[in-house]
C-alpha cells in the first residue's frame, strides 16, 4: 500500500521587522512555526522558503499552497499583472518585490497575497473576537500602521486597500519639533506614531 503524504499549507506574516512563518494541516492545526529577520528581499525570501521546505519535509507532508499577509502597500488585485508585489514602500530595498512570484517559484505552489492587517482581521473573524460579526475593523501599530475594515461582505477598498498609516494629521502647535519618520510624508500618522517614530 502506498504511503500518502498529508497535504500541508503554509502561511507567512511578512513584516517589516521579521517574517513569521508556519505550516498547518488543511483544518488549521499548526504543525511548526519559525521566524526570520527581515533583511534584503533575496536573503529573507531564500531563508523563509528553505525553512518552509524543511518543516514540510519533517512532517513527511506535501505542500499544497501558501498564503502571505504582508506589509505594504501591496498590489492585492488578483486580476493585475503585478498581483502580489510590494508597491512603493518606506521599507528600503523592498519596493517592487514580487512576493507571490518569488515564493511560487521557490516552493512550486499557488500563492495568495493580502495585506498583513487583512490577514489579522481574517483570523479574528474566523477564530477570535470578531467571530460571526457582519463587520469588523482591525488596526496594526508596529513598524508601520495599517487598518483592515470588513463590511458588506468584503474588505474595504477591494481590489486595492486603504493606506491608513499615511493619513496626514494636524499636530498641536506645541508639538512641531519632531518632523516624523515617514520617508514620503514626514508627519503622517505612521511617521509620528509607528514603532519607528
Amino acid at each position: 500500500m502506498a504511503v500518502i503524504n498529508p497535504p500541508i499549507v503554509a502561511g507567512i506574516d511578512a513584516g517589516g521587522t521579521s517574517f513569521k512563518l508556519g505550516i498547518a494541516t488543511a483544518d488549521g492545526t499548526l504543525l511548526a512555526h519559525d521566524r526570520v529577520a527581515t533583511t534584503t528581499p533575496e536573503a529573507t525570501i531564500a531563508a523563509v522558503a528553505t525553512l518552509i521546505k524543511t518543516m514540510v519535509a519533517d512532517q513527511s507532508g506535501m505542500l499544497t499552497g501558501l498564503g502571505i499577509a504582508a506589509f505594504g502597500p501591496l498590489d492585492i488585485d488578483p486580476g493585475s499583472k503585478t498581483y502580489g508585489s510590494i508597491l512603493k514602500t518606506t521599507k528600503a530595498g523592498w519596493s517592487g518585490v514580487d512576493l507571490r512570484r518569488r515564493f511560487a517559484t521557490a516552493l512550486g505552489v499557488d500563492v495568495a497575497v493580502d495585506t498583513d492587517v487583512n490577514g489579522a482581521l481574517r483570523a479574528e473573524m474566523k477564530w477570535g473576537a470578531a467571530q460571526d460579526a457582519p463587520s469588523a475593523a482591525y488596526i496594526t501599530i508596529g513598524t508601520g500602521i495599517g487598518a483592515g475594515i470588513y463590511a458588506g461582505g468584503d474588505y474595504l477598498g477591494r481590489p486595492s486597500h486603504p493606506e491608513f498609516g499615511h493619513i496626514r494629521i494636524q499636530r498641536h502647535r506645541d508639538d512641531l519639533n519632531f518632523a516624523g519618520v515617514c520617508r514620503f510624508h514626514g508627519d503622517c500618522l505612521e511617521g509620528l506614531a509607528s514603532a519607528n517614530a
Side-chain angles (χ1 to χ4, degrees), residues 141-145 190 193-197:
I141 301 174
T143 306
I145 294 178
E190 190 169 294
S194 66
N196 293 335

Side-chain angles (χ1 to χ4, degrees), residues 18 28 33 46 55 65-66 73-74 76 81 90 95 103-105 107 116 120 127 130 140 150-151 155 161 172 184-185:
S18 67
H33 61 91
M55 288 190 291
L66 169 66
L74 292 168
I76 59 169
K81 61 184 174 186
T90 57
S95 293
F103 277 106
T105 299
L107 298 172
D116 50 3
W127 297 293
T140 56
Y150 185 90
Y155 293 87
H161 62 90
H172 188 274
F184 299 129
H185 311 111

